[in-house]
Amino acid sequence: KRYEDLPADLETIREAGQRASAIVNRFLGVTRRADVPLEPCRIDVLVNQALDLLSAQFTLDQIAVRTRVDADLPLLAANAQDLTHVFMNLFANAREAMADAHGKGTLSVSVTHVPAGSGSWVEVRVTDDGPGIAPEHLARIFDLFYTTKPLGLSTGLGLSICHRIVTELGGELVCDSVPGQGATFVVRLPVPVKNEASGGN
């Protein structure tokens, strides 16, 4: 029966590859940002979808996933495909760091609504208990084509594209890390003014 599902699985992989290729091309200047439609998005739903897509790999690598999500999160104006790409990249990087360092680990993900002056943010925190990032690398991790991996194992595009996606939505993507104590990536996205008083309704 597993072989009966193979065509559908291959189609899913093909579609995911095409989406990733489209995102890479867009952020290398092939497509204008204005061509990307924004829509009301529930960030908690996108985070859970990304976690689900990687769940088999988490199990294989003995990665425990802990989540904490605020109730009644407000809708954000974003592109769901782009944000799913951001979350999958952050989760996959954390998984790889933990698996390579000690063959297991804990990924902690929180989604919270944070007041900020006259507005507010939805904040997604992604924390791993991997090896952490050395200061000389931490300062450059969002640079285009920057990678610490051997030639052929990384394009150096992943975090740079994630950073651009988030900042073009008016948000922030930052990282805090101490070598030997893991890393925390924080995505902050602004809540549209019209959604401030309505929650997710």
Side-chain angles (χ1 to χ4, degrees):
K1 178 170 173 49
R2 293 182 63 182
Y3 289 106
E4 294 173 4
D5 296 332
L6 187 58
D9 291 342
L10 291 174
E11 179 63 17
T12 299
I13 293 169
R14 185 188 67 81
E15 290 176 358
Q18 288 182 334
R19 288 195 299 270
S21 177
I23 290 170
V24 170
N25 287 337
R26 182 161 74 247
F27 287 97
L28 290 178
V30 176
T31 305
R32 294 182 299 112
R33 180 70 202 177
D35 294 337
V36 181
L38 301 184
E39 57 201 346
C41 292
R42 283 189 54 186
I43 300 305
D44 54 327
V45 170
L46 301 183
V47 165
N48 284 328
Q49 287 175 348
L51 289 172
D52 286 345
L53 287 168
L54 293 170
S55 61
Q57 192 65 56
F58 289 144
T59 300
L60 186 64
D61 290 329
Q62 301 185 70
I63 305 297
V65 178
R66 297 175 179 170
T67 60
R68 181 174 63 85
V69 179
D70 279 0
D72 299 322
L73 289 165
L75 295 174
L76 303 186
N79 180 276
Q81 175 177 301
D82 282 357
L83 285 185
T84 301
H85 175 84
V86 169
F87 299 137
M88 287 194 66
N89 190 280
L90 296 179
F91 300 157
N93 284 353
R95 178 207 61 77
E96 183 176 2
M98 292 184 286
D100 288 349
H102 36 246
K104 61 179 181 179
T106 299
L107 176 67
S108 299
V109 181
S110 67
V111 187
T112 56
H113 185 199
V114 182
S118 60
S120 67
W121 304 82
V122 170
E123 181 177 279
V124 180
R125 300 180 71 89
V126 181
T127 301
D128 66 64
D129 60 0
I133 303 170
E136 63 269 25
H137 298 312
L138 189 61
R140 299 190 59 194
I141 57 173
F142 298 120
D143 290 355
L144 191 62
F145 301 121
Y146 183 75
T147 180
T148 61
K149 297 176 183 178
L151 184 66
L153 294 183
S154 173
T155 61
L157 286 171
L159 285 176
S160 177
I161 289 175
C162 291
H163 189 267
R164 187 168 174 185
I165 288 172
V166 173
T167 55
E168 287 193 350
L169 291 171
E172 301 173 350
L173 173 57
V174 297
C175 179
D176 181 36
S177 180
V178 176
Q181 298 181 32
T184 296
F185 284 82
V186 183
V187 177
R188 298 186 183 98
L189 293 166
V191 176
V193 174
K194 65 181 179 180
N195 289 339
E196 287 288 355
S198 61
N201 301 325

